[in-house]
Every structure is written in structure tokens, then in C-alpha cells.
């Protein structure tokens, strides 16, 4: 027997033969043993693990209450059989468990294995880490194993969730569909192979710090890109937007880019980059088609208009104009067609950056009256009220500015079929001159108020859709206003009406 590391050999003497002092030593030793057993029991019952002691043949000598509660087994039920513990180990984990035990028994090494153990009450399995240490006698023989089962279900779940999310992220990262970059300031500090392939850069370029998004952005996209980075800084995320990258060989790549700030490294953001060239090419083809179609339509339409007006004059001269009522409706239809084709041409020119502007002095007050008068002659359904006009001049293109107000007035009338008036109001403040066109019509849903200035966008409500239009007018209007350094906004309420406000800075006034 060992006591505090010292061997006590004479304790095997019968008590009656032992001298008094040996009896005292033996008693002390027994007392200490009892205490140490009690300490072990208290410890084994206190720790949050399942605790057990096994004989070298695998049969249980001791299990703590927690073990019995979890497995639902009494000690007697695991004191016979070859591998009594297998009954509460998940079938898929039994083989591994057995192999690990065998190895531990053969080598005397510590046993360690993760397995699912069945809860005797619920029948559910939870992951446990089982650990066991051999205890040896003086001859070095294993006399028992002390073991614990630690519940690692939550840890395993977290690890599994992490593994899955890493797997998903890797699938995306390694796919050759989407470019991914990590940016810090203006520097691209990491990128996946797809992004490098898309832009023609190498991993060495990346390592050497040669990839800087500002240098890779063509000048015409710089403003928009800075705006995007501002959004990223304030909102922590960036709504996907279209731009181009200058590739390593100098070629351009149209892309769609979105990004989010990394939560644990706020100085860095992760961005996705999608190759947008197929869509851009399609758009380009559509634009080319629109431009060609509108050019092709313009000449025959002009000839048609010329011939109908010749016919008009001829019939008027003969005094038989009233007998040909179809002629005037033909002329109206031709004019509508010409306007549509003109709009199409304008849209194409804007797209190509070729919409020309004259620079001339424009009397805004006179222009508004002119537009309102012309419109009043064409559209007798509404009364056009012009208010607050004061003398004010701008430098710009008179026809194009006229086009802005004609369009707004024509929309105001078109989208207020039940109303009787539309109003035009001019207002000059110290540094801006603004013109408001107000109607009392259908109104525009709030969430679509920005979109109506996009190319070919039309409000989706059925009443609006019932009114003919192609969604080009406001796009052209917005571009013309922008060219004149002005702004256009809309204030609208569905069922009540809309007010479009165009404002020009006075510094353009002469
Ligand atoms: P459209 O040829 O369709 O009128 P616009 O570009 O002029 O094209 O206008 C875009 C869309 O905005 C219209 O389809 C319409 O839905 C909406 N809209 C424009 N002006 C008004 C208005 N005054 N009241 C209500 N909706 C309007």
C-alpha cells in the first residue's frame, strides 16, 4: 500500500500481533484513505461531468449520480457483459469508441474520444468528450481507469455551424462566378482567383500592393465610386452599383459591385464583383437598335408630314377641307408619332453622350408663357394657370428648356384626367429660380417618386398604366435639367396630385 508516496509494508500484520504504534499508523492510513475516497466522491459528485471508474476489463466500478441520471442506468447494469458502455453510445460512434479503447488498453495511453451518448430519459443523443486515465499499481499494472464524459454538444453545434458557414463562404470564394475582394482604404488587400482573372492581375500584384481601386477606376466612374465608399462608411453596406474597372492590360470591364464592412474589422470591407459585360453588351445592342430605328423612322415620317400639310393646303385652297375630316386626325397622329420618335432619338443621344445644347440667353418668364399658351391650344381639357412669373433670364438651350416645361405640363394634364386646372408657378429667390408644375391628379406612390426619372420607367399602378406613354419624357427632362446645373424633385400624394419643382441656380442668370 502507498501512503503519501511511502510504502507501508507491515500493515498486513494481524492486529493482535501488531505493536501499538503500528496500529496507530495503520489507523491513520485507513483514516486518510477514507478521507481521500470521500474527497474523490465529493469531487466526482460536484463536477459538471459524468464521472466513472472502470476496471481494466471495461466493467464499471463506480459512476457518479450525474452519469446515472443521464444514462438512466444503474451501476449493476454495467457491471457485466463485454462492452457495457456501448449500449448508450450512438451506433455510428461505437466502432470508433471500441477502437480507441482497445488502443488505450494496449498501450496504456490516455483514452480520448468524441461520441454521441444517449440520454436515457429522452432517448436523444448529445455529443460528449470522453477522457480516461489509467491508474497503475506498484508493478505498473493498470488497476483501473478514471474517466469523465464532458457534454460538448453546444461546442460541436457551433463548430458545425462555423464549418458550414466556412464551407459556404469557400464555395462562393472558389467559384469562378463571382469576384471577391477585401478592401482597406483605397487598397485591395485580398482577392479571390476569379477577381484576379477578371481583371488580369496576379497574386504577386496583390501582394506587392499594386491593386488600388482608385487607380483601377476610370475617371468618369470616380465620382460615383467615391459616393459608394461614402455610403459604405456611413451605412456599413453598399447598395450594388454599376461601374467599370480598368484591367491590367488597360481594357475596361463593366462590373456590378456591392460591399459590406467586416463587423470585426471595421477598417476593412468585403466586396463582391460581378462581370456585367454580357448585360452591358445587350444594353448596347438595344441602344444601337433604338437609335437606328428612330433614325430610320424619322425620314418617312417627315415626308408623310410634308405631304399631309401640302394636302391640307391644297384642300383649303379648294375649299373642301371640311369634307376630309380624316386628314386632321391623320395630322394629329403623325405629330404624336413624330414626338415619340424625337423622344427616342433624344434618349439615344443622351445614352451616347451626344445630345447637343446651344448656349443662349433664355427669358424664362417668356418661355413659360409661350409653352403654356401652346399647350393650352393643344389641350383644351384643362385650364393652365400661370402664376408668379417675373423677369428672369438663364443661359442655356431655349428649345431644350422649353421641352422640360412642355413635358411636365403635358404629364400634369395627362395624369389628371378628372381635374380642371394645372398650375405653373415661378419663384425667384436670392440664388435660385424655381418653377413648379402642379396637378390635382392620380399622384405617384412615394417609393416610385425617384424611379420615374429613370429611362423607360412607368408607375406600375393600373390607372397610370391605362394612360399611354413610354417612360422617356421625365428621363429626358432630368438630363436636360442636370445639364443646366439644375435639380428636379417631385412631391406627390396618391389620389391628390403631384408637384414637380425644377430649380436652377441663379449664378447662371445673366
Ligand atoms: P410617360 O410617357 O409614361 O408619361 P414620363 O417619363 O413622362 O413617361 O413619366 C414617367 C412616369 O411617371 C409615367 O409613366 C407616370 O406613371 C409617372 N408620371 C409622370 N408625371 C406624372 C404626373 N404628373 N402625375 C402622375 N404620374 C406621373
Amino acid at each position: 500500500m502507498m501512503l503519501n508516496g511511502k510504502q507501508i509494508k507491515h500493515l498486513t500484520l494481524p492486529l493482535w500481533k501488531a505493536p501499538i504504534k503500528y496500529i496507530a499508523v495503520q489507523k491513520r492510513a485507513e483514516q486518510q484513505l477514507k478521507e481521500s475516497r470521500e474527497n474523490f466522491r465529493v469531487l466526482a459528485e460536484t463536477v459538471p461531468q459524468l464521472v466513472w471508474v472502470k476496471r481494466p476489463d471495461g466493467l464499471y466500478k463506480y459512476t457518479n449520480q450525474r452519469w446515472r441520471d443521464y444514462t438512466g442506468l444503474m451501476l449493476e447494469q454495467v457491471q457485466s457483459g463485454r462492452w457495457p458502455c456501448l449500449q448508450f453510445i450512438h451506433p455510428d460512434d461505437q466502432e470508433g469508441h471500441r477502437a480507441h479503447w482497445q488502443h488505450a488498453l494496449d498501450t496504456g495511453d490516455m483514452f480520448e474520444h468524441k461520441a454521441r451518448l444517449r440520454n436515457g430519459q429522452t432517448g436523444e443523443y448529445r455529443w460528449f468528450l470522453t477522457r480516461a486515465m489509467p491508474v497503475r499499481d506498484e508493478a505498473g499494472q493498470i488497476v483501473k481507469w478514471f474517466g469523465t464524459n464532458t457534454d460538448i454538444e453546444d461546442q460541436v453545434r457551433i463548430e458545425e455551424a462555423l464549418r458550414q458557414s466556412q464551407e459556404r463562404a469557400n464555395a462562393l470564394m472558389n467559384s469562378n462566378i463571382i469576384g471577391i475582394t477585401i478592401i482597406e482604404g483605397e487598397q485591395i488587400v485580398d482577392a479571390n482567383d476569379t477577381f484576379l482573372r477578371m481583371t488580369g492581375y496576379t497574386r504577386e500584384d496583390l501582394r506587392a500592393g499594386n491593386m488600388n481601386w482608385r487607380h483601377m477606376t476610370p475617371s468618369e466612374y470616380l465620382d460615383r465610386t467615391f459616393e459608394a465608399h461614402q455610403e459604405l462608411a456611413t451605412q456599413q453596406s453598399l447598395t450594388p452599383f454599376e461601374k467599370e474597372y480598368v484591367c491590367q492590360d488597360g481594357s475596361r470591364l463593366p462590373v456590378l459591385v456591392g460591399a459590406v464592412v467586416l463587423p470585426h474589422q471595421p477598417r476593412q470591407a468585403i466586396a463582391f464583383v460581378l462581370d456585367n459585360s454580357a448585360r452591358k453588351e445587350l444594353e448596347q445592342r438595344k441602344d444601337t437598335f433604338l437609335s437606328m430605328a428612330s433614325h430610320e423612322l424619322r425620314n418617312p415620317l417627315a415626308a408623310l408630314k410634308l405631304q399631309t400639310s401640302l394636302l391640307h393646303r391644297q384642300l383649303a385652297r379648294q375649299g373642301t377641307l371640311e369634307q376630309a375630316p380624316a386628314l386632321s386626325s391623320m395630322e394629329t397622329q403623325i405629330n404624336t408619332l413624330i414626338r415619340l420618335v424625337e423622344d427616342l432619338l433624344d434618349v439615344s443621344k443622351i445614352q451616347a453622350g451626344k445630345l447637343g445644347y446651344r448656349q443662349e440667353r433664355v427669358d424664362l418668364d417668356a418661355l413659360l408663357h409661350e409653352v403654356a399658351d401652346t399647350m393650352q391650344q393643344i389641350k383644351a381639357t384643362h385650364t393652365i394657370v400661370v402664376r408668379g412669373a417675373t423677369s428672369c433670364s438663364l443661359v442655356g438651350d431655349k428649345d431644350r428648356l422649353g421641352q422640360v416645361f412642355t413635358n411636365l405640363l403635358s404629364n400634369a394634364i395627362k395624369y389628371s384626367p378628372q381635374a380642371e386646372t394645372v398650375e405653373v408657378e415661378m419663384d425667384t429667390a436670392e440664388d435660385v429660380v424655381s418653377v413648379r408644375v402642379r396637378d390635382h391628379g392620380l399622384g405617384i406612390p412615394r417609393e416610385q417618386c425617384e424611379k420615374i426619372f429613370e429611362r423607360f420607367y412607368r408607375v406600375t399602378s393600373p390607372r397610370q398604366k391605362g394612360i399611354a406613354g413610354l417612360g422617356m419624357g421625365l428621363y429626358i427632362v432630368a438630363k436636360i435639367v442636370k445639364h443646366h446645373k439644375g435639380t428636379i424633385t417631385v412631391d406627390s400624394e396618391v389620389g391628390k396630385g403631384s408637384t414637380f419643382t425644377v430649380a436652377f441656380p441663379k449664378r447662371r442668370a445673366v
Side-chain angles (χ1 to χ4, degrees):
M1 173 165 205
M2 300 281 285
L3 185 63
N4 295 337
K6 286 183 200 146
Q7 207 169 349
I8 303 167
K9 289 184 182 145
H10 31 252
L11 291 184
T12 47
L13 280 175
L15 259 186
W16 55 270
K17 278 191 177 176
I20 299 296
K21 72 169 180 178
Y22 291 139
I23 293 173
V25 169
Q26 187 175 8
K27 278 211 161 147
R28 207 168 55 242
E30 275 170 3
Q31 181 60 29
Q32 281 180 349
L33 187 65
K34 211 171 136 206
E35 271 175 25
S36 120
R37 278 201 183 124
E38 184 55 17
N39 285 349
F40 168 75
R41 203 191 58 77
V42 171
L43 196 68
E45 293 302 332
T46 321
V47 292
Q49 279 106 333
L50 317 185
V51 180
W52 44 264
V53 179
K54 263 185 190 181
R55 295 191 339 209
D57 60 5
L59 298 183
Y60 286 85
K61 266 169 78 92
Y62 163 84
T63 57
N64 71 349
Q65 186 62 41
R66 209 179 284 280
W67 187 96
R68 292 193 293 275
D69 288 348
Y70 183 81
T71 61
L73 296 168
M74 302 308 290
L75 187 58
E76 302 80 61
Q77 293 171 276
V78 283
Q79 280 180 320
S80 61
R82 178 125 170 73
W83 290 91
C85 60
L86 290 186
Q87 57 189 300
F88 57 87
I89 295 180
H90 192 285
D92 292 351
D93 303 333
Q94 289 181 4
E95 198 45 52
H97 184 86
R98 210 199 302 250
H100 275 77
W101 251 122
Q102 199 56 59
H103 175 80
L105 290 174
D106 293 346
T107 59
D109 289 347
M110 184 176 151
F111 169 87
E112 191 168 299
H113 185 239
K114 285 180 191 170
R116 282 158 286 180
L117 305 186
R118 193 185 59 234
N119 182 313
Q121 311 254 324
T122 63
E124 281 172 13
Y125 285 92
R126 288 178 74 83
W127 279 99
F128 279 84
L129 172 67
T130 304
R131 276 200 178 122
M133 285 284 285
V135 179
R136 297 168 191 277
D137 64 11
E138 298 130 43
Q141 282 297 310
I142 296 176
V143 287
K144 55 189 163 191
W145 292 81
F146 277 110
T148 56
N149 306 106
T150 308
D151 187 332
I152 52 165
E153 177 72 15
D154 294 344
Q155 186 187 331
V156 168
R157 272 179 204 268
I158 291 168
E159 276 170 12
E160 178 58 16
L162 197 69
R163 193 190 59 74
Q164 279 185 11
S165 96
Q166 250 162 12
E167 201 173 271
R168 284 187 209 127
N170 285 348
L172 206 61
M173 204 72 172
N174 301 333
S175 76
N176 56 3
I177 313 165
I178 181 169
I180 294 180
T181 60
I182 306 283
I183 48 177
E184 187 170 336
E186 289 184 1
Q187 204 64 32
I188 297 176
V189 291
D190 200 3
N192 68 347
D193 290 342
T194 312
F195 183 77
L196 295 176
R197 201 173 40 250
M198 276 158 77
T199 52
Y201 281 90
T202 63
R203 213 148 268 290
E204 282 64 50
D205 291 322
L206 188 68
R207 260 183 240 121
N210 295 340
M211 297 184 74
N212 174 300
W213 60 255
R214 184 209 277 256
H215 297 154
M216 289 169 69
T217 302
S219 55
E220 69 270 29
Y221 286 97
L222 268 180
D223 282 353
R224 178 64 188 95
T225 307
F226 281 129
E227 219 175 81
H229 279 265
Q230 196 59 39
E231 182 190 334
L232 185 63
T234 51
Q235 320 260 319
Q236 310 297 294
S237 70
L238 161 60
T239 322
F241 75 106
E242 290 182 355
K243 65 173 279 180
E244 286 185 4
Y245 274 124
V246 182
C247 300
Q248 218 274 340
D249 61 3
S251 61
R252 299 280 195 98
L253 177 74
V255 288
L256 181 75
V257 183
V260 278
V261 168
L262 289 173
H264 299 296
Q265 262 166 303
R267 279 156 51 84
Q268 293 191 341
I270 183 162
F272 77 79
V273 183
L274 279 179
D275 184 338
N276 211 13
S277 36
R279 199 172 85 83
K280 281 284 162 193
E281 197 190 313
L282 202 68
E283 228 171 69
Q284 184 60 48
R285 257 188 265 157
K286 197 179 68 195
D287 288 347
T288 313
F289 169 79
L290 279 182
S291 157
M292 273 164 43
S294 41
H295 272 105
E296 290 299 314
L297 283 169
R298 198 159 70 151
N299 292 342
L301 268 178
L304 213 58
K305 185 173 164 79
L306 186 70
Q307 276 160 14
T308 45
S309 54
L310 283 176
L311 194 61
H312 186 113
R313 256 182 270 158
Q314 203 176 350
L315 291 178
R317 239 183 285 127
Q318 290 168 358
T320 53
L321 191 58
E322 293 79 40
Q323 286 154 32
L327 184 62
S328 78
S329 92
M330 248 169 80
E331 285 181 307
T332 314
Q333 298 299 340
I334 289 170
N335 284 337
T336 309
L337 264 177
I338 287 176
R339 257 199 317 280
L340 273 180
V341 170
E342 290 299 331
D343 276 357
L344 261 178
L345 264 176
D346 284 351
V347 170
S348 299
K349 283 184 197 157
I350 290 170
Q351 285 305 111
K354 288 183 184 154
L355 190 69
Y357 292 92
R358 283 199 308 266
Q359 283 269 5
E360 59 199 325
R361 186 190 162 119
V362 184
D363 181 341
L364 201 58
D365 174 32
L367 179 66
L368 278 182
H369 277 100
E370 203 180 306
V371 168
D373 289 349
T374 315
M375 191 57 76
Q376 190 67 84
Q377 280 168 30
I378 308 169
K379 312 261 183 186
T381 50
H382 295 61
T383 306
I384 301 172
V385 183
V386 183
R387 289 200 198 102
T390 49
S391 171
C392 178
S393 307
L394 290 182
V395 172
D397 187 320
K398 183 175 170 227
D399 287 348
R400 293 290 176 201
L401 287 170
Q403 198 175 345
V404 166
F405 301 119
T406 305
N407 231 306
L408 292 179
L409 262 176
S410 141
N411 276 350
I413 293 170
K414 192 161 80 166
Y415 294 106
S416 65
Q418 313 290 338
E420 289 173 357
T421 59
V422 295
E423 291 123 44
V424 183
E425 244 173 62
M426 187 171 144
D427 197 8
T428 54
E430 201 178 320
D431 46 7
V432 279
V433 51
S434 42
V435 178
R436 271 183 290 278
V437 179
R438 175 174 300 129
D439 67 60
H440 308 279
L442 306 180
I444 301 157
R446 184 180 294 269
E447 68 283 359
Q448 297 184 48
C449 280
E450 293 260 314
K451 291 194 166 166
I452 55 173
F453 300 104
E454 288 171 14
R455 194 164 59 132
F456 305 129
Y457 188 86
R458 304 204 70 221
V459 170
T460 48
S461 63
R463 289 199 68 190
Q464 234 106 337
K465 282 205 153 173
I467 297 170
L470 289 175
M472 292 185 285
L474 287 181
Y475 171 73
I476 300 169
V477 163
K479 294 290 173 187
I480 298 174
V481 170
K482 190 171 174 208
H483 176 85
H484 288 84
K485 304 271 187 289
T487 57
I488 178 160
T489 50
V490 60
D491 187 14
S492 187
E493 197 176 330
V494 173
K496 291 259 169 77
S498 314
T499 304
F500 284 81
T501 306
V502 181
F504 296 107
K506 269 259 196 82
R507 62 190 131 87
R508 291 191 65 83
V510 288

